[in-house]
Amino acid sequence: MGKTPYKILYRVVPPIHIPYTSKDLPLEAMDQYLTQRKGMFKLIRSNLLQSQNIMAQQANRKRIERMLSVGGISLCEAITLSIIISSQMSFSKIISKIL
């Protein structure tokens, strides 16, 4: 697709973000405001990263690690087998499909 979520939502190109470095502006109040804004964005990014880590840990907590053997039946074969059985084909046809 090649579009950012901002462009999809607002249908315009996102504004260019130029990072602010201290003392770029001669106005003290504006310098203080932009410095606080930069700190706020850092805090938001760290909070989002922490939230993502917590969500990943909660999702992984319920997962079970399983080892598959070479001779075992694969998921595709199991699905194929269940479809064949549900369509009530004869047993010989089921064996020929698996082998």
Side-chain angles (χ1 to χ4, degrees):
M1 200 167 194
K3 295 182 181 178
T4 63
Y6 187 93
K7 186 167 184 169
I8 292 170
L9 183 63
Y10 297 110
R11 297 181 183 173
V12 294
V13 179
I16 298 171
H17 174 70
I18 301 170
Y20 177 74
T21 56
S22 296
K23 306 297 180 189
D24 278 349
L25 296 174
L27 296 172
E28 179 81 25
M30 192 60 143
D31 181 56
Q32 183 180 6
Y33 168 75
L34 291 174
T35 305
Q36 287 175 353
R37 184 172 178 251
K38 186 177 176 182
M40 181 182 62
F41 282 133
K42 268 187 177 179
L43 181 64
I44 290 171
R45 278 191 209 103
S46 68
N47 286 345
L48 284 173
L49 185 61
Q50 185 178 6
S51 297
Q52 287 174 345
N53 289 336
I54 290 171
M55 288 188 291
Q57 287 174 357
Q58 288 176 347
N60 291 336
R61 193 176 301 155
K62 295 183 180 182
R63 292 187 182 166
I64 299 170
E65 189 171 328
R66 297 183 183 180
M67 301 300 284
L68 300 176
S69 63
V70 176
I73 188 168
S74 70
L75 180 61
C76 293
E77 290 171 346
I79 291 171
T80 305
L81 183 61
S82 68
I83 290 171
I84 293 170
I85 291 172
S86 66
S87 65
Q88 298 183 5
M89 295 176 74
S90 69
F91 186 72
S92 62
K93 289 183 181 179
I94 293 172
I95 296 298
S96 66
K97 290 279 187 178
I98 293 174
L99 300 176

